[in-house]
Amino acid sequence: MNLPQIVIIGAGGHAKVVADIILKIGRYQIAGHTAPGNPPPAARLKFRYLGNDNVLPSLWKQGVKLAALGVGGVGDNRPRRRIYEHIHSLGFSTPPLVHPAAIVADGVLPVEGLVIAPGAVVNPRVEFGVNTIINSAAVVEHDCVLGEHVHVAPGAVLCGGVRVGSLAHVGAGAVVIQGVALGEGAVVGAGAVVLHDVEPWTVVAGNPARFIKSLKEVF
């Protein structure tokens, strides 16, 4: 049986997680991976290194129509958005990748580029934007709505009815209590407990979470 080929974009830690999810799903054959420049052997995956992203158009012409974004995001998710948009401009599709060891409620719709890692829990009536990462052992409770290009890091918890703006990042082990809204590009530090809404392009951290800095001038 010939499986559809998929190329992994990236060569770091998140790319390894993505590759493992693809293998566990068993629906695709990994054609290889790309990465900027020439990554050192320690940074490469066990799959064939195809070169930098300039090889993508020729791969598409050769019949590789699927891509998986193996680039994570810590704080600034805009590089992931740029890569995602570039992949799609070349004609690639980015199928949702859900690890078999994740728990996803019935009726939750997968979207392009969604990655749900092992041990994650997604409860009913959650809505995802494209190119979102729900990382290992993260919990997204009922009625949460996440925008595009969001990253919920390992062990983070979004309680019921949380709204997460596009490009936001929720750090490892953070907790966002029910009904809170995180603005576009907001960054929640690792281990933070967020009790109140967070303004767009704002970093908060601590327990309870407090304002750290604005990112408007940085980005």
Side-chain angles (χ1 to χ4, degrees):
M1 179 178 177
N2 292 325
L3 299 175
Q5 292 195 87
I6 189 168
V7 58
I8 297 173
I9 313 300
H14 186 62
K16 295 173 184 176
V17 173
V18 167
D20 182 66
I21 295 173
I22 293 170
L23 292 175
K24 293 293 196 305
I25 292 172
R27 296 194 207 117
Y28 311 109
Q29 177 184 351
I30 298 175
H33 73 96
T34 66
N38 295 301
R44 298 182 186 179
L45 307 185
K46 65 180 180 180
F47 306 100
R48 185 161 64 103
Y49 174 58
L50 302 170
N52 63 32
D53 292 348
N54 291 332
V55 305
L56 292 174
S58 62
L59 284 175
W60 193 88
K61 290 179 181 177
Q62 293 167 24
V64 181
K65 306 297 184 182
L66 302 177
L69 182 51
V71 177
V74 179
D76 184 4
N77 285 313
R78 294 190 305 173
R80 289 184 53 247
R81 178 181 63 181
R82 287 193 292 269
I83 298 169
Y84 176 86
E85 291 174 347
H86 177 61
I87 292 168
H88 280 264
S89 74
L90 297 174
F92 288 93
S93 295
T94 51
L97 301 173
V98 180
H99 196 285
I103 300 173
V104 180
D106 291 342
V108 174
L109 298 178
V111 296
E112 281 272 332
L114 174 66
V115 174
I116 302 182
V121 177
V122 177
N123 274 321
R125 298 180 62 85
V126 170
E127 298 179 17
F128 291 115
V130 300
N131 193 33
T132 285
I133 301 170
I134 308 300
N135 224 317
S136 305
V139 176
V140 182
E141 268 297 347
H142 61 88
D143 300 294
C144 289
V145 178
L146 286 70
E148 300 180 345
H149 318 291
V150 167
H151 185 181
V152 181
V157 176
L158 304 182
C159 294
V162 168
R163 300 294 190 265
V164 182
S166 296
L167 298 164
H169 177 87
V170 181
V175 176
V176 183
I177 69 162
Q178 60 270 16
V180 164
L182 307 179
E184 179 185 26
V187 177
V188 176
V193 178
V194 183
L195 305 178
H196 304 287
D197 292 355
V198 178
E199 293 294 319
W201 300 107
T202 298
V203 178
V204 298
N207 181 5
R210 292 180 173 84
F211 173 85
I212 301 298
K213 63 180 178 180
S214 171
L215 298 174
K216 292 180 180 178
E217 296 182 1
V218 177
F219 290 114

